Amino acid sequence: MPIADRHTPPPRRIAIVGAGLAGLTAARTLVQAGHAVALFERDARPGGRLAGWESPYGSFDSGAQYFTVRDERLRRALDATGAPCRRWSANAVRVLDPAGRLVEAALPGLEPHWVAVPRMDALAAHWAAPLGEALHRGTTVVRIEADSLQPGRWQLRTQGEADDTAVQAGFDAVLLAVPPTAARLLLAPVAEGLARHVADVRIAPCWSLHLAFAQASQPGLPHLGPQWNCARSTHHRVAWLARESSKPGRGAIERWTVQASAEWSREHLRDDAARVRAKLLRAFAEITGILATPTLAEARLWTEAKTETPLGRSHLWDAKAGLGVAGDWCIGHRVEDAFVSGLELALAAL
């Protein structure tokens, strides 16, 4: 055996739960290092909060609205993979008072805003493609257990979209890249210590409203309402507004995404979508001055949207047990926080 081989760890079989950006980053890193990876995602599409929705009037980014690139490792990864991303000319994020009046305009040197094209979930799809059959879509992991046939390894009990159940066995390690509530539930029976670390993380819910104004697509009427394309608001109902149709690679029909504040979303967590839609539409009109009746108005709820109390470290890793945790919520709420967390967990697990 060559001397160099003595220091090369043997390939391992690693399960990753959650195919958001943290899970995808961890999976790609481990595969590139020569390990066998099985990535389980409960939804039909990977991406987590890199979510998109296609309406009859054009696409919406229903989760993360854009991302920044502050970490050089993310920049290198985007360049190396030819990621389908373009800079969004957000014409400087405004800060608005409750009545929609300008309080503060961002400085000209504001860091670039980036979006995936044609929707934010295109980045996740692009990074998932090389994983091929290693990505198990529509598969929910309901329990982590000690492998019944191979001591020292793990097995996962899973449930498919048709409620079919299965046991996936023979894993040397299990990495969780899911929201903290799901992480706690999976960890509690097998790693109480790790579960306790996650217990203090707090993530706020968020109601979102997606609006389309097909009547605005007329000659001489480039858009409705204000001149800005996105804004943070101090309105008691609304925290963020973005003109979706201003993003590169999107259709021309006037479309907006309105995200409610954490406080308002929490207060109205159990409201039905119709009531939320009416209230947020009224707030949207107050802020933007757009009084036209939308062609489409769709309200959607994220039960865990924006991190309020993060874990305080990039990841958790118990090398002896072979269990780890990652997610944007470990260090913040940004898209690149998810990338950094997934990357550093994978490097720790190598």
Side-chain angles (χ1 to χ4, degrees), residues 90-98 100-110 228 230-234 240:
N91 65 19
V93 176
R94 267 49 173 189
V95 179
L96 309 175
D97 71 5
R101 294 183 296 256
L102 182 65
V103 174
E104 177 185 343
L107 298 175
L110 182 73
W228 43 263
C230 60
R232 303 190 187 281
S233 170
T234 59
W240 168 262

Side-chain angles (χ1 to χ4, degrees), residues 29-337:
T29 303
L30 291 167
V31 166
Q32 290 168 6
H35 298 292
V37 167
L39 177 58
F40 299 92
E41 170 55 47
R42 68 177 183 178
D43 294 327
R45 293 177 177 174
R49 287 201 289 270
L50 280 182
W53 174 54
E54 196 67 37
S55 81
Y57 304 99
S59 65
F60 291 89
D61 294 325
S62 53
Q65 293 289 294
Y66 65 90
F67 65 93
T68 54
V69 183
R70 300 174 180 178
D71 193 294
E72 184 58 31
R73 294 171 296 180
L74 175 56
R75 188 182 307 278
R76 291 199 300 267
L78 293 170
D79 291 342
T81 58
C85 300
R86 291 172 60 186
R87 185 169 176 173
W88 176 27
S89 298
N91 65 19
V93 176
R94 267 49 173 189
V95 179
L96 309 175
D97 71 5
R101 294 183 296 256
L102 182 65
V103 174
E104 177 185 343
L107 298 175
L110 182 73
E111 64 186 332
H113 293 59
W114 296 90
V115 296
V117 177
R119 301 183 315 212
M120 286 293 282
D121 57 356
L123 174 57
H126 185 74
W127 279 7
L131 298 174
E133 294 182 358
L135 173 57
H136 302 267
R137 305 165 190 260
T139 304
T140 301
V141 174
V142 296
R143 190 173 178 85
I144 303 172
E145 302 171 332
D147 194 307
S148 57
L149 299 178
Q150 303 179 61
R153 290 187 169 183
W154 296 103
Q155 66 183 31
L156 306 179
R157 292 194 179 271
T158 64
Q159 183 173 330
E161 292 177 323
D163 290 334
D164 52 308
T165 59
V167 175
Q168 312 280 347
F171 295 109
D172 298 292
V174 178
L175 311 184
L176 303 182
V178 294
T181 299
R184 286 193 295 268
L185 290 173
L186 290 171
L187 288 171
V190 293
E192 188 177 350
L194 289 179
R196 281 199 302 268
H197 281 297
V198 180
D200 292 333
V201 176
R202 294 290 179 268
I203 299 187
C206 180
W207 273 105
S208 292
L209 179 66
H210 303 303
L211 302 171
F213 297 88
Q215 68 270 34
S217 299
Q218 301 176 15
L221 185 63
H223 59 75
L224 296 175
Q227 296 301 309
W228 43 263
N229 289 330
C230 60
R232 303 190 187 281
S233 170
T234 59
H235 192 286
H236 70 286
R237 291 179 187 168
V238 174
W240 168 262
L241 307 95
R243 181 182 276 117
E244 293 278 1
S245 43
S246 72
K247 297 177 180 178
R250 273 61 169 176
I253 293 177
E254 179 92 1
R255 301 184 310 285
W256 288 82
T257 287
V258 182
Q259 292 181 341
S261 67
E263 295 78 8
W264 193 88
S265 295
R266 195 178 285 113
E267 290 172 6
H268 296 268
L269 190 61
R270 304 192 187 283
D271 285 5
D272 61 55
R275 186 164 185 256
V276 168
R277 182 172 60 242
K279 288 181 176 293
L280 290 183
L281 185 56
R282 191 176 307 122
F284 171 78
E286 292 171 359
I287 295 169
T288 63
I290 298 175
L291 303 179
T293 301
T295 315
L296 175 144
E298 178 89 10
R300 297 188 169 203
L301 173 66
W302 287 89
T303 55
E304 293 179 288
K306 185 174 181 179
T307 308
E308 294 181 319
T309 305
L311 178 67
R313 64 184 84 172
S314 68
H315 64 280
L316 294 172
W317 171 240
D318 184 334
K320 185 176 180 180
L323 293 172
V325 182
D328 60 351
W329 52 269
C330 290
I331 46 180
H333 63 269
R334 295 174 177 271
V335 170
E336 61 184 318
D337 291 336

